[in-house]
Amino acid sequence: MSSIIQLLPDHVANQIAAGEVVQRPASVVKELLENAVDAGASEIKLIVKDAGKTLIQVIDNGKGMSVTDSRLCFERHATSKIRFAEDLFSLHTKGFRGEALASIAAIAHVEMKTKQDQEELGTHIVIEGSKFISQEVAVLPRGTSFAIKNLFFNIPARRNFLKSDTVEFRHIVDEFERVALAHSNIGFILYHNGSEMFNLPSSNPRQRIVNIFSGRTNEKLVPVKESTEIVEIEGFVCKPEFAKKNRGEQFFFVNDRFIKSGYLHHAVSAAYEGLLKDGSQPGYFLYLTVPPNTIDINIHPTKTEVKFDDEHALYAILRSAIKHSLGQFNVAPVLDFDRDANLDTPYNYENKEAVMPTVVVDRSYNPFADEKPSRPTSASFSSSPSFRKAEKAPVWESLYTELTQTSEEVEGFSFESEEVTGSLFNDNEVEQAVQKTYQIHKKYIVSPIKSGMVIIDQKRAHQRILYEQFLTNITVHHAASQQLLFPLMLYFNRSELDLIEEMRGALENTGFVFAEFNSDHIVISGLPVNVVESEVSILIEELISDLQQEVPDTSFSQSDSIAKSMARSLAIKTGILLTEKEQENMVNSLFACKEPGVSPFHKPTFITVSVEDLDKRFAI
C-alpha cells in the first residue's frame, strides 16, 4: 500500500502560513512597521494605495541588511531576534516570527531595497509568489524599503473576503497609531492614495497623543506614574467628564508592545469607581515596563495578549496608581482635613478692628394706630418699613352679594347660570371616550381591541417608529431641521472625524446641518426636529461607536446602521410616564409602520391577549 503522508512543497506551506500571519492588509503593515522599529530607524514612512490592496510600502532609515541577510530574511523560520529557545522569554524586540516575510512574499509581489551605512551599494530584490525574480546591486540611501504590491493576487478567495477600502484603511490606521504611540521618539508619516494623513514628528508621549487625537486631547490627560519592583507604570488617563460610550481611546503597552487585557482594563475601571456614568468607558494611554522573563507573549498569534506571572499584584498596583493620580490632580473627590482658605481674613482687613453695628429704634411708632405721623422721621425709615392702612376697610361679605341669582344685567350683557341641563353624548359613548390606553409600570402600554387587548413595549415600539422615520428620511433625502440660535462645537479625534465625514450625507438627510468641518472639531447649526440640543454629543458618540463595531460595507448597510443607532439613542426609555395622548399617538404610529411587530433589533414590540385566554385563566 502506498504511503499517504507527504511533505508539502515550500510555496504551499508558505501560503498556509500566510493564512495565520496575514489576515488583511493591516497585518502586513504591523509586521513591516515593527521590523522598521527594530532596525533602529528614526523616521518611518508608510505609503498605502487602495487601503493596502494595491500597495503597502514602508521606508525606514535604519541600519539596513547585508546581501546575505536580505536573501535569508525571506526564508521560513529565519530571524535575527532569537538564537535559542530560552530567548523567547527574554525578548526586547517587536516581532520574532520567522515566517512573516516568507508568508508575505508567498501571497504578493514584493520589492525590497536595502543598504547598510558602511556599504557603498545596496541590494534590490524582487519576489513574486515566493519565487525570486531578480537580485541586483543598486545605489540606495541608508535603510530598508519594502513595497508589497497586489496582496493576495494568487489567492482570489482571500481577496474576496476583504472588506471595503474604508474599513480596511481604518484597520491600517489602528495598527499605525499603536506603533506610533509606543515609540514617540520616532517620526512617522502616513500617506494614503497620495494624500498625507499623518505627519508625526519625534516628540514625547504626551505630544504624540495630542498629535494623533487632535489638539483638545491635552485637556483630558491626567499623568500617571508609579515605580515598583514588579512594574513601572507611566502614561495618562482621561478625566471622567471626557468618558465616552465606545472603547476607542484605550491603549495598554507592555515593554513598548501594544496589548489587549480585559484584566488590566478592569483594574482601570475599578479606579474610576463612582466617577463614571453607567455605560461610559474611561480613556487611558498606559505604558507598563516589566522584566521580560515575567511575561509570556506567545499565547496569541498576533502577540496582542500576554500572560503575567503575578497578575494580582499588577492589578492592585495599577488600580492604586490611577486612583492616586485622579485624587492628586483634584479629579476625584478626596477628604481634606486642612483649613479652608475661604475662611481666612482678607488681606485688606487683617489689621483693622471690627466695627460694632448700631441699632436705631423709632420709639414713637405704633402699629395699632389708625393714622401715621404726617412727617415720619428719618429713623422710622431706617428702622423698619411702614404701610398706610385704608381709612375704612370694606366688608368682605358685601363683595359676594346678589351672586346667587340665576342671571343679572351688567351694562347690557346677560350671564346665565352654568347649570348643566343635558349631555351631548349618550352614556355608552362617554364610557368609551374616557380612556383608550393605559400605561403599566411606566414600561408597557395596554390598548383594548375587539378580541382582547394589546400590550406594547413602549421602548421597542418607539425604536421601530423612529427607525422607519430616519430610514425614510435618509433614502428620500428630505427631513425637517430646526436651526440653532447658538451653533454647537464638538471635538473629535481624526479617525472619528473621518467617520463623521463619511456618513455626513446620511446625517444631513435626517436633519443635521453642519456649518464647519475642521481638523479637530465640527460645528452643527441645525438638528432634527426630535433631537434635543443636550443629547447631540451623546447621540454622535453612540453613532460612531456603533459604526466602528458593526463596520458597514455598503451605503445601504451604513444608512441602516445610522437609522438603528439614532433610533436606539432617541427612543423613549423605560420608566418615563406618558400622557394619554402620547400613548394613543404611540399606538397609532406603531401600527402605521411597515413592520410593527418587531423592533429594528428583531425583538417583539407587542403581544396580544385574547378574551379566551383571560377566560381560561379564570376558569375553575
Side-chain angles (χ1 to χ4, degrees):
M1 185 176 179
S2 60
S3 59
I4 300 175
I5 299 175
Q6 58 182 351
L7 293 174
L8 288 174
D10 287 342
H11 69 279
V12 177
N14 286 338
Q15 288 186 3
I16 295 173
E20 300 178 359
V21 178
V22 185
Q23 289 86 20
R24 54 185 358 131
S27 306
V28 178
V29 170
K30 176 180 182 294
E31 295 289 342
L32 296 182
L33 287 178
E34 290 181 347
N35 284 340
V37 171
D38 288 338
S42 60
E43 291 183 2
I44 300 176
K45 286 184 180 180
L46 173 60
I47 302 172
V48 179
K49 288 185 179 180
D50 300 329
K53 299 174 184 177
T54 303
L55 172 68
I56 299 172
Q57 186 173 7
V58 175
I59 305 171
D60 67 71
N61 61 351
K63 55 189 177 184
M65 289 183 283
S66 64
V67 178
T68 305
D69 289 343
S70 61
R71 187 67 181 260
L72 282 175
C73 70
F74 290 102
E75 298 295 331
R76 294 187 65 198
H77 307 301
T79 179
S80 63
K81 301 171 184 179
I82 60 173
R83 290 290 182 266
F84 307 99
E86 291 78 9
D87 295 341
L88 293 173
F89 300 97
S90 60
L91 287 171
H92 297 274
T93 56
K94 291 291 180 191
F96 61 89
R97 184 185 289 113
E99 69 272 11
L101 293 179
S103 301
I104 294 171
I107 55 174
H109 296 167
V110 179
E111 183 178 356
M112 186 189 73
K113 299 176 182 178
T114 183
K115 174 185 169 296
Q116 292 181 323
D117 193 16
Q118 65 273 15
E119 299 291 336
E120 294 183 359
L121 298 175
T123 305
H124 181 198
I125 295 178
V126 178
I127 303 175
E128 295 181 1
S130 295
K131 182 180 180 181
F132 276 84
I133 303 301
S134 64
Q135 180 174 346
E136 299 174 350
V137 177
V139 178
L140 301 170
R142 176 197 170 188
T144 305
S145 170
F146 276 97
I148 313 300
K149 304 176 183 178
N150 304 322
L151 194 65
F152 300 121
F153 80 100
N154 54 354
I155 311 179
R158 291 293 300 276
R159 192 176 182 89
N160 293 335
F161 274 101
L162 294 178
K163 303 293 184 180
S164 64
D165 288 356
T166 304
V167 176
E168 294 298 339
F169 182 67
R170 197 177 302 153
H171 287 286
I172 290 175
V173 171
D174 289 342
E175 295 294 346
F176 177 83
E177 289 177 350
R178 292 167 182 175
V179 178
L181 286 172
H183 302 277
S184 58
N185 59 330
I186 301 176
F188 289 88
I189 303 177
L190 171 59
Y191 295 95
H192 184 224
N193 293 337
S195 301
E196 183 180 278
M197 307 302 295
F198 288 92
N199 190 344
L200 309 174
S202 176
S203 59
N204 54 44
R206 188 181 193 117
Q207 189 62 40
R208 176 57 55 87
I209 295 171
V210 173
N211 289 338
I212 293 178
F213 296 98
S214 77
R216 203 170 179 228
T217 308
N218 194 33
E219 304 175 14
K220 310 177 185 178
L221 302 180
V222 176
V224 177
K225 189 171 183 179
E226 187 67 42
S227 179
T228 64
E229 295 180 355
I230 299 175
V231 62
E232 292 184 5
I233 302 173
E234 290 189 12
F236 304 91
V237 294
C238 294
K239 297 178 181 178
E241 58 264 30
F242 294 100
K244 296 183 177 181
K245 294 289 183 181
N246 59 347
R247 301 180 64 170
E249 298 178 0
Q250 296 180 350
F251 295 89
F252 276 118
F253 300 95
V254 175
N255 295 351
D256 293 335
R257 182 193 299 271
F258 172 79
I259 68 161
K260 297 178 182 178
S261 175
Y263 190 70
L264 296 183
H265 172 75
H266 190 274
V268 177
S269 301
Y272 279 87
E273 186 178 2
L275 299 176
L276 297 178
K277 298 179 181 178
D278 293 338
S280 298
Q281 296 287 338
Y284 50 82
F285 307 86
L286 296 173
Y287 301 82
L288 283 65
T289 304
V290 298
N293 58 352
T294 62
I295 59 173
D296 184 4
I297 60 176
N298 298 319
I299 63 173
H300 195 274
T302 60
K303 308 296 185 292
T304 56
E305 296 181 10
V306 298
K307 178 70 175 176
F308 297 96
D309 284 353
D310 194 352
E311 287 186 336
H312 297 288
L314 189 62
Y315 181 100
I317 294 171
L318 182 62
R319 177 178 175 273
S320 300
I322 295 174
K323 209 170 186 64
H324 174 72
S325 294
L326 292 175
Q328 183 180 6
F329 290 91
N330 295 326
V331 176
V334 294
L335 291 176
D336 187 7
F337 296 100
D338 297 335
R339 60 181 176 82
D340 188 356
N342 295 325
L343 300 179
D344 293 344
T345 304
Y347 181 77
N348 295 335
Y349 295 90
E350 188 172 359
N351 297 323
K352 291 184 179 181
E353 296 183 358
V355 179
M356 298 298 295
T358 57
V359 179
V360 180
V361 180
D362 183 9
R363 299 187 182 277
S364 62
Y365 174 69
N366 183 6
F368 300 101
D370 292 337
E371 294 184 358
K372 285 194 166 83
S374 59
R375 293 182 180 179
T377 61
S378 60
S380 65
F381 283 101
S382 61
S383 59
S384 61
S386 61
F387 303 94
R388 182 182 298 274
K389 293 181 63 178
E391 294 182 358
K392 187 175 181 181
V395 182
W396 64 270
E397 291 88 348
S398 64
L399 297 175
Y400 297 93
T401 57
E402 300 181 358
L403 289 182
T404 58
Q405 300 176 2
T406 58
S407 64
E408 61 181 358
E409 298 290 336
V410 179
E411 296 182 1
F413 294 94
S414 63
F415 299 90
E416 297 180 355
S417 63
E418 296 182 357
E419 182 181 356
V420 179
T421 58
S423 176
L424 295 176
F425 305 97
N426 56 35
D427 295 339
N428 294 332
E429 290 177 344
V430 171
E431 291 178 359
Q432 292 178 359
V434 172
Q435 189 170 359
K436 294 182 180 180
T437 59
Y438 303 90
Q439 189 179 24
I440 300 177
H441 295 297
K442 300 179 182 179
K443 184 176 183 180
Y444 300 106
I445 299 174
V446 180
S447 178
I449 57 177
K450 290 182 179 180
S451 60
M453 61 180 176
V454 176
I455 303 176
I456 301 172
D457 188 312
Q458 66 183 33
K459 178 181 177 181
R460 295 180 184 177
H462 201 209
Q463 286 178 351
R464 165 54 63 178
I465 296 168
L466 293 177
Y467 168 72
E468 293 199 2
Q469 288 179 357
F470 287 131
L471 198 59
T472 302
N473 293 337
I474 293 174
T475 53
V476 179
H477 306 286
H478 177 72
S481 177
Q482 54 180 345
Q483 296 298 313
L484 297 176
L485 183 61
F486 301 102
L488 290 174
M489 183 179 295
L490 303 176
Y491 289 85
F492 299 96
N493 60 44
R494 190 186 300 269
S495 61
E496 292 173 342
L497 285 173
D498 292 340
L499 196 57
I500 296 174
E501 179 70 30
E502 181 184 342
M503 59 184 178
R504 178 176 181 176
L507 290 176
E508 288 177 343
N509 292 333
T510 62
F512 282 95
V513 179
F514 296 95
E516 294 181 19
F517 252 89
N518 294 313
S519 58
D520 61 346
H521 69 277
I522 60 174
V523 178
I524 299 176
S525 60
L527 300 176
V529 178
N530 51 357
V531 176
V532 184
E533 184 177 348
S534 59
E535 298 177 350
V536 176
S537 60
I538 300 175
L539 172 64
I540 295 181
E541 285 181 8
E542 292 181 350
L543 182 59
I544 292 173
S545 176
D546 292 341
L547 289 179
Q548 286 176 341
Q549 291 175 3
E550 296 183 7
V551 194
D553 294 337
T554 63
S555 59
F556 173 76
S557 60
Q558 186 187 74
S559 301
D560 184 70
S561 299
I562 292 173
K564 284 182 179 178
S565 179
M566 294 182 65
R568 177 166 51 194
S569 301
L570 298 175
I572 294 176
K573 304 296 187 292
T574 299
I576 295 179
L577 182 64
L578 301 179
T579 62
E580 182 183 347
K581 290 184 178 180
E582 290 173 340
Q583 296 171 27
E584 292 182 5
N585 183 48
M586 179 85 69
V587 176
N588 296 332
S589 300
L590 175 64
F591 290 101
C593 294
K594 295 180 180 179
E595 296 183 15
V598 292
S599 72
F601 308 99
H602 308 290
K603 295 181 180 179
T605 57
F606 67 88
I607 59 173
T608 57
V609 180
S610 64
V611 177
E612 289 77 8
D613 294 335
L614 294 175
D615 292 339
K616 291 178 182 179
R617 290 277 186 174
F618 288 101
I620 300 176

